[in-house]
C-alpha cells in the first residue's frame, strides 16, 4: 500500500525550521555584536541562506528581534479566546496572560526570550518597534474583551483600561525579571502575577452597566 507523500506538510515544516533558525541566528548575533552592528546578510549567512530568502520570512532585522514578543502575543490572544464565555473580564484576561506566561516559562527558549527583552529595553532603535508591536497586541486584546462583554470599545473605555493595566503590569514584571541576572522562569511568572494583582486591585470582577464606572 502506497502512502502519499505529504509534500505540503514537509514544505511547511521546512519553512518553520528555516524561520526558527533565522530567529536564533539573528538573536545570537545581536547579543554577540550588538543590534546595530549586525546586518541582514550576516544573519542569512549564519543559516546558509541568501538575503533574498531572509526577506521571504522577515521584512527587516527588527522583526527578528521582536519575533519572540510577537509569538507571546499570539499565545495570550489564543488563551483569552479559549476562556469560558461566562468568565468576568479581569479573571479571563489575568488567567490568559498567566497561562501564556507559564507556557513560555516551560519552553526551553524562555531564557532567550528574557535576554531578548533585555536587549530591546537597552536598544533605542528597537524600542519604537516594540511599542508598535505592543500597541497592536493591546488593540486586539481590547477588541476581544469588548466582544466578550458585548461592548463597543469606542464608547466604553473599560476594556481598553483593563488591557492597558494588565499589559503594563506584564511589562513591569518582565523588566524586574530581566534586571536579575539569573532570570529564573518561575520568578518571572511570580513577578508578573504580583504586578498584575497590584495594577488591577481596584478593578472588580463584574462590571456594572454605567461605562463611567466599573
Amino acid at each position: 500500500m502506497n502512502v502519499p507523500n505529504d509534500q505540503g506538510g514537509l514544505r511547511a515544516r521546512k519553512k518553520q525550521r528555516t524561520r526558527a533558525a533565522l530567529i536564533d541566528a539573528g538573536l545570537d548575533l545581536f547579543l554577540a555584536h550588538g543590534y546595530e552592528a549586525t546586518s541582514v546578510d550576516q544573519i542569512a549567512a549564519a543559516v546558509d541562506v541568501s538575503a533574498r530568502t531572509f526577506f521571504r520570512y522577515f521584512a527587516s532585522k527588527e522583526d527578528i528581534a521582536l519575533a519572540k514578543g510577537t509569538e507571546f502575543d499570539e499565545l495570550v490572544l489564543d488563551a483569552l479566546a479559549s476562556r469560558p464565555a461566562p468568565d468576568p473580564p479581569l479573571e479571563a484576561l489575568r488567567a490568559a496572560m498567566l497561562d501564556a506566561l507559564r507556557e513560555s516559562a516551560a519552553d526551553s527558549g524562555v531564557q532567550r526570550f528574557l535576554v531578548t527583552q533585555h536587549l530591546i529595553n537597552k536598544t533605542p532603535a528597537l524600542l519604537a518597534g516594540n511599542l508598535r508591536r505592543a500597541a497592536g497586541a493591546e488593540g486586539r486584546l481590547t477588541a476581544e474583551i469588548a466582544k466578550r462583554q458585548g461592548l463597543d470599545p469606542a464608547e466604553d473605555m473599560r476594556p481598553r483600561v483593563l488591557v492597558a493595566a494588565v499589559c503594563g503590569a506584564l511589562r513591569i514584571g518582565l523588566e524586574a525579571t530581566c534586571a536579575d541576572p539569573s532570570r529564573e522562569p518561575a520568578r518571572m511568572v511570580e513577578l508578573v502575577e504580583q504586578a498584575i494583582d497590584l495594577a488591577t486591585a481596584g478593578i472588580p470582577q463584574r462590571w456594572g452597566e454605567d461605562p463611567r464606572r466599573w
Side-chain angles (χ1 to χ4, degrees):
M1 179 178 178
N2 292 327
V3 178
N5 288 328
D6 181 9
Q7 293 298 329
L10 287 172
R11 283 194 295 270
R13 288 192 291 274
K14 183 178 179 181
K15 288 178 68 175
Q16 183 59 36
R17 286 196 297 270
T18 301
R19 183 182 186 277
L22 286 167
I23 293 171
D24 287 345
L27 295 179
D28 285 344
L29 287 166
F30 296 156
L31 295 171
H33 306 295
Y35 175 76
E36 297 286 7
T38 300
S39 69
V40 167
D41 287 339
Q42 289 172 317
I43 297 171
V47 184
D48 199 23
V49 300
S50 66
R52 182 177 179 180
T53 297
F54 174 96
F55 287 116
R56 290 176 187 162
Y57 292 87
F58 300 99
S60 68
K61 66 177 184 178
E62 178 184 279
D63 290 346
I64 293 279
L66 303 182
K68 293 296 182 182
T70 300
E71 291 171 5
F72 180 75
D73 293 341
E74 295 303 320
L75 283 178
V76 178
L77 286 158
D78 289 346
L80 179 59
S82 299
R83 297 297 305 174
D87 282 3
L90 174 55
E91 178 183 329
L93 183 56
R94 181 184 184 278
M97 185 70 74
L98 293 175
D99 284 351
L101 203 66
R102 291 188 187 101
E103 182 175 341
S104 296
D107 189 277
S108 59
V110 64
Q111 290 290 345
R112 184 181 291 276
F113 171 73
L114 290 171
V115 170
T116 302
Q117 289 301 117
H118 186 60
L119 171 71
I120 291 169
N121 291 339
K122 67 177 186 178
T123 307
L126 291 175
L127 286 175
N130 197 49
L131 286 173
R132 287 193 299 272
R133 177 201 60 76
E138 288 185 29
R140 294 168 67 191
L141 289 169
T142 296
E144 179 65 23
I145 291 291
K147 183 179 75 173
R148 292 170 65 91
Q149 293 299 108
L151 301 175
D152 180 354
E155 301 292 335
D156 193 318
M157 292 191 296
R158 289 176 294 182
R160 185 178 177 185
V161 171
L162 171 64
V163 169
V166 172
C167 289
L170 169 68
R171 177 180 55 79
I172 291 169
L174 290 178
E175 287 176 354
T177 306
C178 289
D180 182 350
S182 67
R183 300 191 178 104
E184 291 291 335
R187 183 63 173 156
M188 172 183 71
V189 176
E190 179 184 336
L191 288 170
V192 171
E193 183 172 14
Q194 180 182 345
I196 290 174
D197 289 344
L198 286 170
T200 61
I203 300 177
Q205 290 287 339
R206 304 281 177 185
W207 296 353
E209 295 183 2
D210 187 347
R212 298 170 299 178
R213 297 180 176 83
W214 291 110

